[in-house]
Amino acid sequence: FDPSTNTWTTTGNYQVNAINRSAVVLLKSGKVLSAGGCLTTTSDGCDTSNYTTVSELYDPATGTWSTVGGLSTARGEAREHLPLLRNGQALIAGGKNTSGTRQSTAEVFNPSTNTWSTVGSMISGRSSTSRFLLLADGRVLLPDGGSSSGAVPSFGEVYDPVGNTWTTTGNRSKNHNDGLAQALPSGKALVFGGIDTNTTQSIAELFDPVSLTWTTTGSMVVQRQNTAGGLLPNGKVITAGGSDGTNA
């Protein structure tokens, strides 16, 4: 999309036609990294037996995609938005493997070598999280996501790239699977909407990175899941679209 002309143009094609790519992140070089997803579909969506390790880079200068080193393990439903760490590397964690099991493993992509390497694993296997968030101090917050037991843990996790460790947060009041999360200028993080016990919700919660605790804040006007949104220049957060659980 070109904001100067308000028009869209197609890019070159992926080298591998993977569906529902698990990772998309803008690197410091200006290139875009995409990884994971599934190679085939069934009547229910992605074919979990065909999750892939494929990774590709998009070059905006040429408008083309090229394959790079693949993930160490196939991942699906690891979520679309991944954090770029302060050192310029990209983090991916969780998602489902080809057996449909939620994983706790994590990896980082090094743009200097175009390769992935494993890092410390999460405490709980997770998929379908609201969004990974890079906190002001360089740590990464994973607010939620379904666990390897099938339930959704009430706690989130924080990854420290310096110590290569994951730490649990305090408990949330609600689950926010398929919700949205946003880091705020204050250093706190906002997570809102999503699904809790099969119910789409309007509840929002604030995360304090110092105490690792959650507190509820003002709710949205409309309950939403699978919504889009982001931080505005004035510090406010916008959300739009999605589904209220019945209608888009």
Side-chain angles (χ1 to χ4, degrees):
F1 178 76
D2 185 344
S4 65
T5 60
N6 287 336
T7 56
W8 293 85
T9 55
T10 57
T11 71
N13 293 332
Y14 280 126
Q15 297 297 308
V16 178
N17 187 26
I19 304 162
N20 287 354
R21 300 260 176 160
S22 290
V24 176
V25 62
L26 177 65
L27 302 175
K28 289 184 177 181
S29 64
K31 294 182 178 181
V32 177
L33 171 68
S34 177
C38 56
L39 299 177
T40 57
T41 61
T42 67
S43 58
D44 295 325
C46 280
D47 180 358
T48 57
S49 65
N50 256 336
Y51 283 141
T52 181
T53 62
V54 69
S55 299
E56 299 192 36
L57 279 180
Y58 173 71
D59 186 342
T62 61
T64 57
W65 293 88
S66 59
T67 55
V68 292
L71 296 162
S72 65
T73 182
R75 296 179 191 271
E77 299 181 35
R79 207 54 180 175
E80 295 83 359
H81 303 284
L82 300 182
L84 190 66
L85 304 178
R86 283 181 172 177
N87 61 6
Q89 297 185 0
L91 172 72
I92 188 171
K96 292 182 179 180
N97 60 21
T98 52
S99 298
T101 302
R102 293 182 174 98
Q103 306 178 85
S104 61
T105 58
E107 308 178 44
V108 291
F109 177 79
N110 186 341
S112 298
T113 60
N114 286 341
T115 57
W116 292 89
S117 58
T118 56
V119 293
S121 293
M122 295 186 294
I123 295 163
S124 175
R126 297 171 186 257
S127 67
S128 298
T129 65
S130 55
R131 179 182 282 182
F132 289 85
L133 290 179
L134 182 65
L135 300 173
D137 59 10
R139 292 178 299 166
V140 176
L141 170 66
L142 177 56
D144 48 37
S147 77
S148 53
S149 67
V152 179
S154 58
F155 59 88
E157 300 189 34
V158 173
Y159 176 67
D160 180 357
V162 176
N164 191 29
T165 56
W166 294 83
T167 303
T168 58
T169 72
N171 292 339
R172 302 177 312 275
S173 66
K174 294 287 185 179
N175 295 319
H176 297 274
N177 264 23
D178 294 325
L180 195 62
Q182 178 63 55
L184 302 177
S186 65
K188 294 184 177 182
L190 177 71
V191 62
F192 52 94
I195 303 170
D196 179 77
T197 319
N198 298 320
T199 301
T200 304
Q201 56 177 316
S202 60
I203 295 293
E205 301 185 56
L206 282 172
F207 174 73
D208 185 331
V210 177
S211 63
L212 300 182
T213 57
W214 297 88
T215 56
T216 55
T217 186
S219 296
M220 294 187 292
V221 177
V222 177
Q223 64 268 28
R224 298 174 188 265
Q225 67 184 61
N226 294 311
T227 183
L231 185 68
L232 299 174
N234 61 5
K236 294 183 179 180
V237 175
I238 185 172
T239 183
S243 169
D244 63 5
T246 303
N247 302 303

